[in-house]
Amino acid sequence: KFALLLPVGISFYTFQALGYSIDVYRGTVKIERDFPTYALFVSFFPQLVAGPIVRARDFAPQIRKPLVINNRMIAMGVYLIVIGLFKKAVISDYISINFVDRVFDNPLRYTGVENLFGLIGYAMQLYCDLSGSSDMAIGIALLLGFRFPTNFNAPFKADSVGDFWRRWHISLSTWLRDYLY
């Protein structure tokens, strides 16, 4: 049996590289002639696993500027890392282990209402996992002197499906809008 081994974060690396290439082709971003700047842009580790997808026009100028890290950035970075870790390691894992996995492993054992709650629990588990990862990436970037955009904006407070989509994994939905559609 043939198994293909891919590096962690290959999808976000691909989004970064494709978006950059398309922006250069469209003329919205100038080609980066400094290879270390380009390499840092496409492979900056905090966001490679779960986002946010950062655009070259937003990130490359930050790489070129002198590194400035202030107390507010440190405080916000630590806060986002703690909140993200809590969402991911406590809420998401707790919901998964104690409820969602049980329902999904044997759905016929549960009532329709319990299965519906299992689906809702899975949505919360997925949100906490992805949002927590993004929060941690944004927090780590702040500690390293870089600012990333917010990636989730309370999607379950949305008042419509369209509003939900605008609030859920913002960098992915805007990337798809700008480069795919």
Side-chain angles (χ1 to χ4, degrees):
K1 184 176 177 179
F2 178 75
L4 181 63
L5 183 63
L6 296 173
V8 173
I10 190 71
S11 61
F12 285 93
Y13 171 82
T14 303
F15 286 134
Q16 296 277 97
L18 268 174
Y20 169 77
S21 299
I22 294 168
D23 284 344
V24 167
Y25 176 78
R26 290 177 178 170
T28 57
V29 170
K30 291 183 180 181
I31 194 163
E32 183 57 58
R33 303 236 180 254
D34 182 50
F35 183 74
T37 300
Y38 173 76
L40 181 59
F41 163 69
V42 295
S43 64
F44 190 62
F45 74 93
Q47 100 290 1
L48 277 182
V49 175
I53 302 166
V54 183
R55 308 286 180 100
R57 69 174 180 256
D58 300 324
F59 191 45
Q62 293 184 61
I63 296 170
R64 290 186 206 99
K65 289 181 182 175
L67 184 64
V68 175
I69 303 171
N70 59 41
N71 289 339
R72 182 180 163 107
M73 290 171 74
I74 292 170
M76 184 55 93
V78 169
Y79 171 78
L80 287 170
I81 291 168
V82 169
I83 290 297
L85 190 59
F86 183 79
K87 285 179 186 176
K88 208 168 163 42
V90 176
I91 299 173
S92 178
D93 287 353
Y94 184 83
I95 292 171
S96 172
I97 293 167
N98 292 297
F99 184 62
V100 173
D101 289 351
R102 291 179 186 181
V103 172
F104 280 39
D105 285 345
N106 193 358
L108 296 177
R109 186 174 177 199
Y110 298 94
T111 67
V113 171
E114 290 168 326
N115 277 285
L116 178 63
F117 283 133
L119 286 172
I120 294 168
Y122 181 68
M124 292 303 301
Q125 174 192 342
L126 185 63
Y127 165 74
C128 287
D129 189 51
L130 294 173
S131 172
S133 294
S134 286
D135 289 346
M136 288 188 289
I138 294 166
I140 291 168
L142 277 171
L143 293 179
L144 295 172
F146 300 102
R147 296 183 187 276
F148 283 176
T150 300
N151 204 25
F152 287 85
N153 184 15
F156 291 108
K157 290 183 178 180
D159 57 10
S160 67
V161 173
D163 188 29
F164 178 87
W165 184 248
R166 281 186 292 279
R167 294 167 173 254
W168 179 274
H169 212 313
I170 297 164
S171 66
L172 177 61
S173 58
T174 58
W175 191 96
L176 291 172
R177 179 197 67 209
D178 294 346
Y179 299 110
L180 187 61
Y181 299 128

